[in-house]
Amino acid sequence: MAERAHRSPATPRPVVPLSEVEEGSPAQRERRRRILEATLALATKGGFDAVQMRAVAERAGVALGTLYRYFPSKVHLLVAGLAHELSRVLERIERAPVPGATAAERVLLVLHRNTVALQRDPHLTEAMTRAFMFADTSVAEEVRQVSRLTERMLTHAMGVEEASDEDKDIARVIGDVWLSNLVAWVTRRASAEDVENRLALTVRLLLSARDR
Amino acid sequence: MAERAHRSPATPRPVVPLSEVEEGSPAQRERRRRILEATLALATKGGFDAVQMRAVAERAGVALGTLYRYFPSKVHLLVAGLAHELSRVLERIERAPVPGATAAERVLLVLHRNTVALQRDPHLTEAMTRAFMFADTSVAEEVRQVSRLTERMLTHAMGVEEASDEDKDIARVIGDVWLSNLVAWVTRRASAEDVENRLALTVRLLLSARDR
DNA sequence: GCCGGAATTGCAACGTGTTCTAGTATTGGC
DNA sequence: GCCAATACTAGAACACGTTGCAATTCCGGC
């Protein structure tokens, strides 16, 4: 990745809070929005390799240095984009209870919908998945945010009132398996059907006990 | 990753079979061995970033071009190193049945031993995990090999005579969770204890039904 | 031993992520 | 409206993965 040794940044990162940002002047929020938009567009068109920092900056109409001020690396940028998208999805999902008689059914429905949506934009999925998996400790905060969002999505689907620790653990395991399968799909080691089957198996094994 | 568009290589990759190589002249096997050795040494010392192609080539005593002839990219190199190590581990494991009264116990034992071993060399683990997760389609074959080795290790631990499809599926799910947790540990999102706990939970949920 | 092809070497060059610098614009406080 | 601080811009420069190339060495068949 041609990283020079990270020094303590001369241009300190502005306080960009983790969730949807209301930080900064309107002009700054607008810049941030345009940067993420450019990122998504480039990722959708050509995947991870097409998200080139110079290209993102140009497309967003900001200087390269400014891009780095908002997002300290390409991986930060892509993972932030993932978190952004995910939080939009979650917002929609949480507005209503998930249909389905059992937790297993509901979780599978949510997984299925998301998987289908992701497979509709394979390049975008590839870009985000690879960034997420390549992230090192410096991106831990953004990665954690994505994990939390995923967990919330799955516990919501499970339909528990207040998620217990075990509920959360199970949600995390399902999330792990989901991600692994997404990676396998992205690298063409698994077909869409494989992914659905493996998710179904996992959910069945993990959740069948809780549904009578 | 500073990849130029991959063209069909002017220097074709020599036929390096997937498993332990007996291909090529003794000098070639020796070069390959030295390259992998250098890779492991550098990875152990400084992780993914320290495995620099020029450094690997120098340490192995080959020209940069030769290194690329043996391994067409840094990720190939690291994943091949992972497969190499894994196959050595598997060889040892398969020599004897795994002790333990139940499949769950045996699987946990194997996971535990490996996890402890991996955590002893955190940089090496980081390098290999990140390469594995970052691998794109061009590395699919090597990645698949690693998956197969992991699956074999886990089905062996499960102790089934001839692994059924469901056995393999379960082994794969456990492997997925294991990997996710390794990644979380590498990026310091999970402690060693977290990893053990989550593996225990997963194995319990997935395997408790099969042990009477 | 000798030949031709393949492998290896040493090194230059290129692309893209990242950093740095000097100058210009914006902004918030008064 | 003015000042200082902060943000932004353009562009150069650097690191490292990767590729290209000309010269040399090695190897298998004779």
Side-chain angles (χ1 to χ4, degrees):
Chain A
M1 188 122 257
E3 286 172 78
R4 201 177 299 181
H6 271 256
R7 21 137 234 198
S8 58
T11 51
R13 186 166 165 207
V15 189
V16 254
L18 323 115
S19 47
E20 284 324 289
V21 184
E22 69 284 328
E23 204 74 13
S25 72
Q28 285 173 324
R29 270 181 290 162
E30 170 61 13
R31 266 187 216 103
R32 192 185 146 96
R33 195 194 57 67
R34 271 185 288 127
I35 289 173
L36 286 176
E37 183 185 75
T39 303
L40 285 232
L42 289 169
T44 303
K45 191 171 318 173
F48 188 88
D49 290 346
V51 180
Q52 301 189 354
M53 300 305 270
R54 289 169 180 85
V56 171
E58 185 177 5
R59 181 158 189 150
V62 302
L64 189 55
T66 304
L67 173 53
Y68 273 96
R69 169 178 281 270
Y70 282 74
F71 300 96
S73 80
K74 173 168 173 172
V75 171
H76 281 84
L77 174 59
L78 279 165
V79 176
L82 172 57
H84 184 252
E85 290 301 283
L86 201 49
S87 74
R88 294 197 325 138
V89 170
L90 183 60
E91 211 172 89
R92 193 151 41 71
I93 288 183
E94 283 189 338
R95 255 205 294 274
V98 178
T102 64
E105 273 177 37
R106 293 188 294 272
V107 167
L108 275 178
L109 178 64
V110 166
L111 288 175
H112 173 75
R113 282 182 182 164
N114 276 292
T115 303
V116 167
L118 288 170
Q119 290 175 345
R120 211 173 287 131
D121 280 320
H123 289 309
L124 179 60
T125 304
E126 183 252 7
M128 288 176 161
T129 321
R130 288 184 64 206
F132 184 82
M133 305 269 44
F134 192 60
D136 67 4
T137 55
S138 73
V139 202
E141 201 35 64
E142 285 83 353
V143 169
R144 221 185 291 271
Q145 193 195 350
V146 169
S147 301
R148 270 197 303 270
L149 290 169
T150 307
E151 186 184 301
R152 249 174 71 190
M153 182 156 81
L154 291 173
T155 51
H156 174 74
M158 287 165 63
V160 286
E161 200 54 42
E162 194 71 35
S164 68
D165 282 350
E166 166 142 326
D167 292 335
K168 289 183 184 172
D169 287 338
I170 291 179
R172 181 164 35 229
V173 171
I174 294 176
D176 288 347
V177 174
W178 186 29
L179 187 61
S180 290
N181 276 285
L182 233 36
V183 171
W185 177 77
V186 159
T187 57
R188 297 207 249 278
R189 284 178 291 128
S191 69
E193 199 191 338
D194 290 338
V195 175
E196 300 277 2
N197 286 338
R198 293 172 190 175
L199 287 175
L201 172 74
T202 305
V203 170
R204 178 164 62 73
L205 290 172
L206 292 180
L207 286 180
S208 58
R210 31 198 337 113
D211 300 321
R212 184 159 14 289
Chain B
M1 186 117 260
E3 287 172 78
R4 201 177 298 180
H6 271 255
R7 25 137 229 196
S8 58
T11 51
R13 185 166 165 209
V15 188
V16 254
L18 323 112
S19 47
E20 286 323 290
V21 185
E22 67 286 327
E23 204 76 13
S25 71
Q28 284 172 326
R29 271 182 289 165
E30 170 61 12
R31 264 186 217 105
R32 193 186 146 96
R33 195 193 57 68
R34 270 185 289 131
I35 290 173
L36 286 176
E37 182 186 75
T39 304
L40 286 231
L42 289 169
T44 302
K45 191 172 315 174
F48 188 88
D49 289 347
V51 180
Q52 301 190 355
M53 299 306 267
R54 290 170 178 85
V56 172
E58 185 178 4
R59 180 157 188 151
V62 301
L64 190 55
T66 304
L67 173 52
Y68 274 95
R69 168 178 280 269
Y70 281 76
F71 299 96
S73 80
K74 174 169 173 171
V75 172
H76 281 84
L77 175 59
L78 280 164
V79 177
L82 172 57
H84 184 251
E85 291 300 285
L86 201 50
S87 73
R88 292 196 327 138
V89 170
L90 183 60
E91 210 172 274
R92 192 150 41 72
I93 289 183
E94 283 188 338
R95 250 205 295 275
V98 179
T102 64
E105 275 177 36
R106 291 188 295 271
V107 167
L108 276 177
L109 178 64
V110 165
L111 288 175
H112 173 75
R113 283 182 182 166
N114 276 292
T115 303
V116 167
L118 288 171
Q119 291 174 344
R120 211 173 288 134
D121 280 320
H123 288 307
L124 179 61
T125 304
E126 183 252 9
M128 287 178 164
T129 349
R130 288 184 64 206
F132 184 82
M133 305 272 42
F134 193 61
D136 69 2
T137 56
S138 73
V139 202
E141 201 34 64
E142 284 82 353
V143 169
R144 218 184 291 271
Q145 193 196 348
V146 170
S147 302
R148 268 199 304 268
L149 290 169
T150 308
E151 187 184 302
R152 250 174 69 189
M153 183 155 80
L154 291 173
T155 51
H156 174 73
M158 287 164 64
V160 287
E161 198 55 42
E162 194 72 33
S164 69
D165 283 350
E166 167 143 324
D167 293 335
K168 289 182 185 173
D169 287 339
I170 291 180
R172 182 165 32 232
V173 171
I174 294 176
D176 288 347
V177 174
W178 185 30
L179 188 60
S180 290
N181 277 285
L182 233 36
V183 171
W185 176 76
V186 159
T187 58
R188 299 207 247 275
R189 286 178 288 126
S191 69
E193 198 190 340
D194 289 338
V195 175
E196 299 277 1
N197 287 339
R198 292 172 191 175
L199 288 175
L201 172 75
T202 306
V203 170
R204 178 165 61 73
L205 290 173
L206 291 180
L207 286 181
S208 57
R210 28 195 340 107
D211 300 322
R212 197 81 3 260

